[in-house]
Amino acid sequence: MEKKHYEVVAAVVKDGDRYLCTQRTRSRLKYITERWEFPGGKVKEGESDHEALLREIKEEMDWDIYVGRCLGTVEHDYPDFSITLKAYDCRPGDGDFKLYEHLDARWLTREEMKNLRWTEADRKLLELL
């Protein structure tokens, strides 16, 4: 049986020298449960990357962001699915975000980010930053 493939977008939100890192909730998939990632999600059919990112951040965090250029793309095969993950340079909008889909969020420098347990795909993105 062929694995499901997803197109996924991630917001690399930077404020000064710090980046927004979010922690996934518990999941039946041990290799992504409670791991850290850049916020974002799956692109729906007929949706642009830009639209998907704005929608996902609004749904998961009730937050508006400014989406800039694509920083890079990584491919990753997990045991149960594969993804193409595109990261976008983003800036925070006005106001604070809420955590509807994440356990935690932290603003960290590139050096501090290395100490977190990232999802494998997002760890590959760190190397592109």
Side-chain angles (χ1 to χ4, degrees):
M1 190 174 91
E2 196 165 315
K3 284 197 268 192
K4 202 109 167 89
H5 182 82
Y6 300 103
E7 296 289 326
V8 180
V9 287
V12 179
V13 184
K14 192 174 180 197
D15 193 12
D17 68 340
R18 296 186 181 275
Y19 296 85
L20 180 63
C21 308
T22 54
Q23 188 179 25
R24 294 179 66 92
T25 56
R26 287 178 186 87
S27 150
R28 63 180 177 75
L29 305 175
K30 288 202 180 339
Y31 50 86
I32 59 173
T33 195
E34 296 182 25
R35 297 284 178 116
W36 289 82
E37 66 180 2
F38 293 107
K42 296 181 190 103
V43 180
K44 292 181 178 175
E45 184 137 355
E47 204 175 37
S48 71
D49 288 355
H50 190 118
E51 291 166 335
L53 208 42
L54 293 174
R55 176 187 51 75
E56 284 284 348
I57 299 301
K58 193 69 174 166
E59 286 174 6
E60 294 183 357
M61 305 173 81
D62 191 22
W63 200 36
D64 294 313
I65 58 169
Y66 300 98
V67 180
R69 67 184 176 87
C70 183
L71 295 170
T73 303
V74 298
E75 304 279 338
H76 189 75
D77 280 319
Y78 286 106
D80 302 282
F81 62 94
S82 65
I83 66 171
T84 299
L85 178 61
K86 284 188 190 167
Y88 285 85
D89 185 23
C90 297
R91 296 285 174 263
D94 293 333
D96 290 329
F97 56 81
K98 300 170 184 73
L99 294 179
Y100 294 128
E101 301 283 331
H102 295 92
L103 291 176
D104 195 7
R106 297 180 191 165
W107 290 96
L108 301 173
T109 63
R110 287 171 61 150
E111 197 55 40
E112 293 167 329
M113 288 163 46
K114 293 176 186 170
N115 300 324
L116 300 178
R117 285 182 63 223
W118 290 85
T119 64
E120 287 302 309
D122 284 80
R123 194 177 52 70
K124 288 180 180 178
L125 281 184
L126 286 178
E127 296 165 17
L128 296 178
L129 296 181

